[in-house]
Amino acid sequence: TLTVIHDAEQMIQKLNADFSIKTIPYNDPKTYEMLSMGESEGIFQLESSGMKQVLTGLKPRDIEDLIALISLYRPGPMDSIPTYLRNRHEPENVRYKTPQLAHILDVTNGCIVYQEQVMQICRELAGFSYGQADLVRRAMSKKKHSVMEQERQHFVYGNPQEGNSCVGCVANGIPADVANSIYDEMSSFASYAFNKSHAACYAYVAYQTAYLKCHYPKQFLAALLTSVLDNTDKVIEYTSECQRLGIPLLPPNINTSEARFVVENDSIHFGLLALKNVGRNLINAVVQKRKQDGPYRTLYDFCKRMRGNELNRRAVESMIKAGAFDQLESSRKAMLQGLDGMLKSVENDARRNLEGQLDLFSGMQTEEEEPLFGDINYYLPDCEEYSYDELLLMEKEVSGLYLSGHPLNGYRDKIERLASCTINELTGEESKLYDNRVVNIICAIVKVKFLTTRSNSTMAFATVEDLTGTMEVLMFPKVLTDASSAVRENGVVLIRGKASIKEDEPTKLIADEVIDITHMTNDEMETIYVPGKKMPQAQLPVKQKRSKYAGIWIRVPSKECEQMKTIRNLTTIFDGGEPIYFVFTDTGMRAAAPKSMWCNPTPRFVSELELLLGKENVAKKS
């Protein structure tokens, strides 16, 4: 993460030379607003789905909130999160077991959160020394019950061996039952507790990444993508975040790309180092020659200037397939077909130039004359370009990713209607919710491995990918036979099956049915069963006619009310195809929201609106 921060800082300094991560403000409202919306993908310590839920519930206001959150979101202290959130939003309802706790626990809304608080309670309520307070902390964290019970006596009634200072809670006016209750609470908590100094370091780094994402999202995500190049699932996740934020992630460009992901003209260019067969030394030479002699003009110009710099056919082929020369030539197919002849021509030109230099009797070439060899207008064959799907497969072949699109982009309506979850949901932190459940996913088949069983039938293991991640699907012989031609590499399919989620193994989906959906009609979609619905779609009663004004209806005080900004942010997060209509209380007017604000009306989206405006001001009309 420190490397990501450093790399982002260097990119930002190209725009603003005075920028330094050391001087950013730690009370930036926009950063905390972003975190309060749960937009924490890529943020250190805060990007898990559970953490996002806590962020939206907490709505952090300062660095203290982040320190507390990082300490609480762990086994043990996690049980205190509901109390912490309630007390945070209703401070008037905070109750302390004894008034002496107030100034110790007020910073954490009445909850014991840190090891330092355990020690401070021991010292101030019972008169423990620093060393004795640390002894209590260690005994609790290591669950040394005999020591804990011994120290309980000292906590409640004092310890004469410690002198007059350790008098105990009772001597300080705290009833024995209250003192025991406080000690019980500390004991149950301390075995899992963070020390605040550690949590504070984490929180500062988390805030720095959040600040960068909020104010410099392109530079931050470029640095983040560079850091996860060897983790395809993470790259897919963060490229999806680029799409959500409206940041174009473009194929590499030989005249702007570098080894790492870089920002150019408000877009992120794919790093050359992520391409197969392209070495670091060649990339360094590409960037250096570009700086010295200007941009490359044609593919031939590139090959000529790179000769002798570890240039080889496989490297150039990988860059062509990834789209690195798309700005120079008209067709990847023409470049691939003409590459062998071009490389031979470069070698022949170099040989002839060398022979010319050795000819002592040849005339001297003047500065005004054009070079005898190395015409940059080497003519490529005239041929039709590959299909869109073929171009995407080439990109996948050399980079592990689809760079200029995704095979599933054309199936978003089918995904919306037929998929019951995404691969990311099946493999992420909340995956246990799906264990042994039947689900539908819509995905592209990346790779298939066929196996022959003992009964001489065929089964398969398929690696599949959707817009959020990859996973493995197990297909037994009967399913494979029924699926027929649908199970093929690069095929787009709907897979219904049971999720198998185990502690020490990657998530698997055991397929019950595999359906080719490439040419599925709307009528055929109506017959597909979607798990989670009350009944299969095919058994639904006659489809009701959709109202002219069907959608999400929202009542707000006025067009310019403060809630409108939050509503716009929510519709950005839950982007979709459901219309939104507003009713303005001050004028009584009704208005349709622009299409850019249409939403995906998930339960989470609706609950966020209800939390913001009240349930009575949000309605769904069908």
Side-chain angles (χ1 to χ4, degrees):
T1 300
L2 296 176
T3 302
V4 169
I5 292 171
H6 173 266
D7 291 350
E9 183 180 36
Q10 286 194 320
M11 282 187 272
I12 295 164
Q13 286 170 348
K14 293 179 181 179
L15 301 174
N16 177 7
D18 296 330
F19 177 83
S20 171
I21 197 67
K22 295 177 182 178
T23 60
I24 64 172
Y26 283 86
N27 58 350
D28 179 61
K30 289 185 177 179
T31 300
Y32 290 112
E33 183 181 349
M34 179 190 77
L35 292 175
S36 297
M37 298 294 294
E39 297 176 7
S40 59
E41 286 84 355
I43 304 302
F44 178 66
Q45 291 285 305
L46 303 180
E47 64 177 332
S48 70
S49 57
M51 191 65 95
K52 289 176 188 174
Q53 291 176 3
V54 180
L55 280 169
T56 56
L58 174 62
K59 304 203 180 307
R61 299 180 292 211
D62 52 35
I63 199 75
E64 282 284 0
D65 281 340
L66 297 185
I67 297 171
L69 180 56
I70 286 170
S71 299
L72 284 168
Y73 195 77
R74 305 170 65 251
M78 191 177 285
D79 295 337
S80 301
I81 288 178
T83 304
Y84 183 90
L85 295 180
R86 184 180 65 249
N87 292 351
R88 167 70 154 67
H89 297 300
E90 301 172 11
E92 68 279 3
N93 294 327
V94 176
R95 299 289 181 269
Y96 297 103
K97 292 181 178 179
T98 181
Q100 292 95 318
L101 288 175
H103 76 284
I104 300 174
L105 303 182
D106 59 352
V107 73
T108 50
N109 303 307
C111 300
I112 300 175
V113 174
Y114 309 118
Q115 291 181 357
E116 286 89 342
Q117 288 174 316
V118 170
M119 297 168 68
Q120 191 176 359
I121 290 169
C122 289
R123 285 175 43 236
E124 295 195 14
L125 273 64
F128 281 27
S129 67
Y130 283 102
Q132 191 182 11
D134 190 52
L135 209 69
V136 173
R137 178 195 62 80
R138 278 187 287 168
M140 288 179 173
S141 64
K142 296 182 183 299
K143 296 188 170 88
K144 294 182 177 179
H145 297 290
S146 60
V147 178
M148 287 165 59
E149 283 309 306
Q150 181 182 340
E151 294 299 337
R152 178 193 292 273
Q153 286 296 111
H154 299 158
F155 181 78
V156 179
Y157 298 108
N159 181 9
Q161 295 178 1
E162 287 287 319
N164 295 328
S165 60
C166 184
V167 296
C169 290
V170 172
N172 283 330
I174 301 170
D177 59 336
V178 174
N180 275 298
S181 174
I182 294 170
Y183 197 86
D184 287 339
E185 186 177 341
M186 291 193 299
S187 298
S188 64
F189 159 80
S191 58
Y192 298 102
F194 255 18
N195 52 31
K196 187 175 182 180
S197 55
H198 186 70
C201 295
Y202 271 31
Y204 270 84
V205 175
Y207 179 88
Q208 288 175 345
T209 57
Y211 183 90
L212 290 173
K213 182 179 178 183
C214 180
H215 294 278
Y216 302 96
K218 303 178 200 61
Q219 290 79 4
F220 173 71
L221 284 165
L224 191 63
L225 283 162
T226 298
S227 75
V228 295
L229 275 178
D230 57 348
N231 186 336
T232 301
D233 283 345
K234 277 294 179 186
V235 173
I236 292 171
E237 181 181 337
Y238 295 145
T239 53
S240 297
E241 183 66 358
C242 290
Q243 292 173 355
R244 188 187 70 79
L245 294 173
I247 303 170
L249 180 62
L250 303 179
N253 183 326
I254 203 63
N255 279 326
T256 55
S257 293
E258 299 181 13
R260 300 170 177 270
F261 287 78
V262 294
V263 177
E264 184 72 27
N265 295 330
D266 290 330
S267 301
I268 297 176
H269 279 287
F270 203 81
L272 293 172
L273 195 58
L275 303 180
K276 294 178 182 176
N277 308 316
V278 182
R280 187 180 291 274
N281 290 340
L282 174 60
I283 295 170
N284 291 339
V286 167
V287 175
Q288 185 179 0
K289 289 277 187 182
R290 193 172 69 205
K291 290 179 179 177
Q292 287 177 352
D293 306 323
Y296 301 102
R297 293 166 286 179
T298 64
L299 178 61
Y300 185 83
D301 178 44
F302 170 82
C303 293
K304 182 186 174 187
R305 287 161 64 177
M306 284 295 103
R307 182 185 174 275
N309 290 285
E310 297 190 17
L311 184 74
N312 60 72
R313 186 188 188 285
R314 293 177 68 193
V316 182
E317 191 176 74
S318 286
M319 288 191 277
I320 291 171
K321 288 182 175 180
F325 298 100
D326 285 2
Q327 305 300 315
L328 306 184
E329 308 288 0
S330 59
S331 162
R332 292 186 203 177
K333 189 172 187 178
M335 285 186 273
L336 289 173
Q337 289 190 356
L339 181 58
D340 284 333
M342 186 179 293
L343 293 174
K344 287 178 183 176
S345 176
V346 168
E347 288 299 324
N348 291 337
D349 283 356
R351 194 178 301 113
R352 285 197 295 268
N353 279 327
L354 180 61
E355 290 170 356
Q357 291 171 20
L358 295 175
D359 183 0
L360 299 179
F361 300 100
S362 62
M364 297 292 292
Q365 179 178 299
T366 64
E367 290 184 6
E368 291 78 13
E369 290 176 328
E370 290 292 325
L372 293 172
F373 306 108
D375 181 6
I376 64 168
N377 293 319
Y378 180 93
Y379 293 106
L380 293 171
D382 185 16
C383 56
E384 189 175 338
E385 180 61 292
Y386 295 111
S387 69
Y388 176 70
D389 287 343
E390 288 175 313
L391 292 172
L392 289 179
L393 290 176
M394 285 181 178
E395 294 168 3
K396 179 85 171 176
E397 174 194 340
V398 298
S399 71
L401 296 166
Y402 301 108
L403 302 178
S404 57
H406 195 284
L408 294 181
N409 279 342
Y411 297 89
R412 289 181 183 270
D413 60 328
K414 291 184 173 70
I415 294 172
E416 184 69 29
R417 292 176 64 177
L418 303 179
S420 59
C421 64
T422 65
I423 288 178
N424 185 52
E425 289 172 325
L426 291 176
T427 58
E429 190 183 68
E430 305 296 325
S431 60
K432 285 189 177 180
L433 297 174
Y434 292 93
D435 189 31
N436 276 325
R437 283 177 52 185
V438 175
V439 298
N440 281 5
I441 62 170
I442 290 181
C443 54
I445 298 177
V446 177
K447 183 172 60 178
V448 186
K449 182 180 179 181
F450 295 99
L451 298 174
T452 303
T453 67
R454 290 181 181 178
S455 60
N456 207 31
S457 52
T458 303
M459 63 179 292
F461 289 90
T463 302
V464 301
E465 175 182 302
D466 69 1
L467 294 166
T468 67
T470 62
M471 70 178 299
E472 188 175 67
V473 177
L474 177 61
M475 303 177 187
F476 286 112
K478 184 180 185 307
V479 172
L480 197 59
T481 301
D482 293 342
S484 185
S485 59
V487 183
R488 64 184 187 281
E489 289 189 7
N490 308 315
V492 177
V493 294
L494 181 149
I495 300 177
R496 180 181 300 112
K498 184 177 288 187
S500 173
I501 294 145
K502 297 181 180 176
E503 193 72 34
D504 301 320
E505 296 180 14
T507 299
K508 286 186 178 65
L509 187 63
I510 302 168
D512 294 327
E513 190 174 11
V514 182
I515 305 169
D516 187 338
I517 64 165
T518 49
H519 303 295
M520 183 178 287
T521 65
N522 287 335
D523 289 341
E524 289 171 329
M525 279 196 281
E526 293 297 330
T527 68
I528 300 295
Y529 166 57
V530 181
K533 290 189 178 292
K534 292 182 179 179
M535 62 183 75
Q537 289 188 357
Q539 299 175 21
L540 288 174
V542 177
K543 194 173 180 181
Q544 294 180 348
K545 187 177 179 182
R546 185 175 171 87
S547 167
K548 182 180 178 182
Y549 297 109
I552 302 295
W553 283 78
I554 304 172
R555 184 188 291 118
V556 292
S558 67
K559 283 185 180 180
E560 307 300 329
C561 66
E562 60 181 4
Q563 293 95 327
M564 285 298 285
K565 184 177 180 182
T566 304
I567 294 169
R568 288 191 186 94
N569 288 336
L570 281 171
T571 58
T572 301
I573 297 169
F574 297 94
D575 184 34
E578 188 79 2
I580 285 181
Y581 300 93
F582 287 106
V583 178
F584 302 112
T585 306
D586 60 343
T587 63
M589 288 182 60
R590 301 182 177 194
K595 203 164 185 178
S596 60
M597 287 184 68
W598 286 17
C599 67
N600 176 14
T602 64
R604 172 88 178 275
F605 173 72
V606 174
S607 67
E608 286 292 330
L609 283 178
E610 290 175 346
L611 190 64
L612 177 69
L613 302 165
K615 287 188 177 183
E616 69 279 6
N617 293 315
V618 182
K620 186 175 181 182
K621 188 174 182 180
S622 57

